[in-house]
Amino acid sequence: MIRKASLTAALAEQRSDRRIEVLRRIQASGSISEAARQVGISYKAAWQALDTLSNLAGVELVQRSVGGRGGGGAVLTPDALLLLEAADAMGQAREQLQLQLQQAQSHAKGDAPRAGISVATTLARLQVVTSMRNQWPCVVRSLHADGPLVVVQMHGAEAGAQQFEVRSHITNESAQLLGLRPGLPVLAMCKATAVMVMPAGDAGQPAANHWQGTATRATRGGSVQEVAVRLAAGVQLVGFSGQATGLRARARVQVVVEPSAVVIALSGE
């Protein structure tokens, strides 16, 4: 009997396809190294994919076999087979939903003008549920290797926000599993506690993301001050400033976020 497993968690992100594809290739080849080669990622990245999916599911998904002419291999557990079956069903459901949305949009021609949003894109973004309050739709501009890390440069995806530039540092394995490339739509996210808000004119940190903006809301009391900021590009964010700064609404501010604090997510667009 298949053990009780939270396989839904392993399918929570629409764009977990590369990690799921590792499982598919292991099923076909019986080898983790061969699966990594076929997916186009490193052996280490393949193991990262398996570890992540196993943690999300709460059960082991791959069993290693030792010995034999090929020196051993890998076999999917019953839970992994169930996960693949669920992934295929979800993929078919997404395709059907996309078709229905396209048909609804085509039928709407000639009607009154609608709001300028993409329903499919917005719903995909909403499926990324996280405690991170700062979430910015972006597009990957460039990637540069820096030892074991990859520097990902992004800009805002929305009209009017393309001047918003944000940088993230992630591992090479994570970049491979996400399939990052220039032009790819992503969500850049960070916790409010990682956003430092300072009065305009304070010295910024050259290696960090550094933006200018206007405070739209500021709390009072306590040892720190929560500040909502609107940047010149129209992007909004929330961060914290030392209470001693005494920032108020409409004050000019600058914002600093370390690239290592910026998380990249694929929203399934």
Side-chain angles (χ1 to χ4, degrees), residues 32-268:
I32 296 175
S33 59
E34 178 62 18
R37 188 191 69 78
Q38 292 180 7
V39 175
I41 60 178
S42 68
Y43 182 73
K44 184 178 178 182
W47 267 112
Q48 180 174 313
L50 296 175
D51 290 342
T52 301
L53 288 175
S54 293
N55 288 338
L56 289 172
V59 294
E60 290 297 324
L61 299 176
V62 176
Q63 293 179 340
R64 298 290 300 272
S65 59
V66 182
R69 188 174 63 178
V75 179
L76 298 190
T77 66
D79 287 317
L81 297 176
L82 179 60
L83 179 60
L84 288 181
E85 184 178 346
D88 290 339
M90 287 183 65
Q92 294 173 7
R94 285 198 297 270
E95 291 178 3
Q96 184 62 32
L97 175 59
Q98 192 75 6
L99 179 60
Q100 291 175 354
L101 288 172
Q102 292 173 353
Q103 291 175 343
Q105 289 176 339
S106 63
H107 292 160
K109 291 182 178 179
D111 294 345
R114 291 187 168 189
I117 68 170
S118 167
V119 175
T121 295
T122 303
L123 288 176
R125 290 171 180 166
L126 287 174
Q127 288 195 3
V128 181
V129 182
T130 173
S131 65
M132 296 188 190
R133 297 163 64 184
N134 296 304
Q135 301 185 30
W136 310 304
C138 289
V139 174
V140 175
R141 183 185 295 276
S142 63
L143 300 99
H144 300 287
D146 184 11
L149 300 179
V150 173
V151 180
V152 185
Q153 191 73 31
M154 298 164 282
H155 65 81
E158 305 298 344
Q162 294 185 0
Q163 293 183 350
F164 173 65
E165 298 277 349
V166 58
R167 186 166 64 254
S168 175
H169 292 172
I170 64 175
T171 65
N172 182 53
E173 290 75 30
S174 293
Q176 292 180 51
L177 289 173
L178 289 171
L180 296 184
R181 54 177 171 73
L184 181 69
V186 297
L187 280 179
M189 307 185 294
C190 71
K191 299 171 60 175
T193 51
V195 178
M196 296 177 287
V197 184
M198 302 172 289
D202 284 3
Q205 302 177 30
N209 294 296
H210 188 201
W211 308 300
Q212 303 289 329
T214 302
T216 59
R217 186 182 71 255
T219 62
R220 296 185 182 182
S223 59
V224 294
Q225 185 179 25
E226 182 178 288
V227 185
V229 180
R230 183 177 180 86
L231 305 183
V235 174
Q236 302 186 64
L237 52 83
V238 178
F240 285 86
S241 177
Q243 184 64 30
T245 60
L247 292 174
R248 296 177 180 271
R250 295 186 295 277
R252 294 291 299 167
V253 298
Q254 56 185 343
V255 181
V256 175
V257 177
E258 290 293 336
S260 58
V262 178
V263 175
I264 298 175
L266 300 182
S267 60

